[in-house]
Amino acid sequence: MRAVLVERFGARPEVTDVPDPVPAGGEVVLRVEATGLCRSDWHGWQGHDPGVAVPYVPGHELAGVIEAAGAGVHGWRPGDRVTVPFICACGSCPPCRAGQQQVCLDQEQPGFTRWGSFAEYVAIPRAQHNLVALPAGLSWTAAASLGCRLATAYRAVRSVGQAAAGEWMAVFGCGGVGLSAVMIGAAAGTRVIAVDVSQLALALARRHGAEHAVPAGDGTAEQIRQLTGGGAQLTVDAAGSGQVAQAALRSLRPRGRHVQAGLLVSPVRLDASPLIAGELQWLGSHGMAAHEYPALLAEIGSGALRPAGLVTRVIGLDEVPAALAAMTSGGPAGMTVIEPGRPAAAP
């Protein structure tokens, strides 16, 4: 099969032929119909994730069709339309038994701890615990966002952040996770403030429900406090930096809640005094378990959430190396989705 192969961290990957995956016991092999290009893929390629070893195939945000199933897989068959969380849980450790598979102690992650979905086919482990059936009417382009960005934002805003109608929520960073958080928060009835350095990203945030769009900068926290009459009840860092997290904390009113969804890939230094003085909560959020997907899919089915609207570019495998490299300087606004069967764009 054709796949994007990374042989050295930070070096431009190649699209090449690699062996087709064969499902081991408990696994399925999917024909990849669409897969998202996510900031986390860039971090892995740069060597920021200690769980990644070269050579490897990136890609963790995917949707496809079951091509083959290994021994021990029941209730699923070739031809089924599915997605998977980017955290493939074991199903048996204490967190998994408690229904918290997103923090599985023995998790596997396609595109990180094993070869991923920037390929024509991908093997998915522990299929019984991790496959999620997709409705027939959901496009592959929209479905590709469910494995990571939309699901990550959904749990961060709804389950962890406990967003409530009428509250102010400030979303810092309007990439894929941030734009998803804006859409999800607006659907929940929160009054959303979007924060980003990019005017294009802020325009997209306004289109998907943000009431205010605030350029990121030194005065961001004060501007949010003024807009909200004392601070937001909920902030979400979807960018992942100490500077952003600090601004988010300073944007909260007393007893507010901060959700850290963006990856902090290096140690950060924070003035934590607002946590005590304001009795704030700092909450981490990491993906979403497969059993939580029905609520998300129901909102998509009702039209409350429209993930296809967040996709601004669709590319083929041959365009991935350049698109991955472009993320070093920011990349385009909105989500990029890869369709492995799509021919390369004309030069």
Side-chain angles (χ1 to χ4, degrees):
M1 68 173 182
R2 298 178 74 239
V4 176
L5 186 67
V6 175
E7 298 187 274
R8 289 190 299 116
F9 292 126
R12 189 183 180 94
E14 297 290 333
V15 179
T16 187
D17 290 325
V18 299
D20 290 356
V22 177
E27 295 184 354
V28 297
V29 167
L30 303 184
R31 183 177 73 247
V32 180
E33 297 290 348
T35 178
L37 178 62
C38 178
R39 174 64 56 177
S40 299
D41 299 312
W42 180 87
H43 283 300
W45 171 56
Q46 289 293 307
H48 297 161
D49 191 319
V52 178
V54 291
Y56 82 105
V57 174
H60 64 287
E61 187 180 50
L62 63 117
V65 175
I66 295 177
E67 187 78 9
V73 176
H74 306 289
W76 301 95
R77 61 184 182 182
D80 286 347
R81 293 165 46 94
V82 297
T83 187
V84 294
F86 73 88
I87 298 158
C88 290
C90 72
S92 58
C93 69
C96 283
R97 293 198 302 271
Q100 303 296 330
Q101 288 92 337
Q102 75 282 351
V103 288
C104 172
L105 299 179
D106 187 28
Q107 61 188 252
E108 293 190 66
Q109 297 182 12
F112 298 98
T113 65
R114 55 187 293 137
W115 284 22
S117 56
F118 289 0
E120 294 175 312
Y121 298 93
V122 62
I124 301 299
R126 302 155 172 177
Q128 294 299 130
H129 302 294
N130 297 295
L131 293 183
V132 176
L134 292 172
L138 186 64
S139 72
W140 292 120
T141 299
S145 69
L146 302 184
C148 176
R149 284 175 280 192
L150 198 72
T152 293
Y154 192 83
R155 187 168 181 278
V157 172
R158 294 295 185 83
S159 301
V160 178
Q162 294 288 297
E167 288 188 328
W168 285 101
M169 179 178 76
V171 177
F172 289 76
C174 293
V177 172
L179 287 172
S180 298
V182 167
M183 177 184 286
I184 292 160
T190 64
R191 304 180 68 181
V192 181
I193 300 171
V195 181
D196 202 280
V197 295
S198 165
Q199 289 298 323
L200 290 175
L202 291 176
L204 276 174
R206 290 295 293 264
R207 189 183 308 166
H208 293 290
E211 188 170 332
H212 297 285
V214 176
D218 293 339
T220 298
E222 180 57 31
Q223 189 171 350
I224 290 171
R225 296 181 71 84
Q226 290 177 0
L227 286 170
T228 58
Q233 284 93 349
L234 175 63
T235 56
V236 177
D237 176 4
S241 79
Q243 184 178 6
V244 168
Q246 186 74 77
L249 286 178
R250 289 176 176 159
S251 300
L252 287 168
R253 66 181 62 196
R255 299 192 61 79
R257 312 174 306 279
H258 172 68
V259 179
Q260 188 65 41
L263 294 174
L264 296 170
V265 297
S266 58
V268 298
R269 299 186 66 179
L270 294 172
D271 173 10
S273 59
L275 286 169
I276 301 168
E279 291 193 352
L280 306 179
Q281 296 181 61
W282 177 298
L283 304 161
S285 189
H286 185 233
M288 190 169 80
H291 69 82
E292 293 187 280
Y293 274 68
L296 170 58
L297 289 169
E299 290 204 44
I300 295 171
S302 73
L305 300 177
R306 301 177 183 273
L310 300 176
V311 177
T312 54
R313 184 171 61 152
V314 181
I315 62 176
L317 279 180
D318 291 307
E319 297 164 274
V320 172
L324 195 60
M327 296 181 82
T328 302
S329 57
M335 293 187 187
T336 295
V337 168
I338 302 153
E339 293 178 352
R342 185 184 184 91

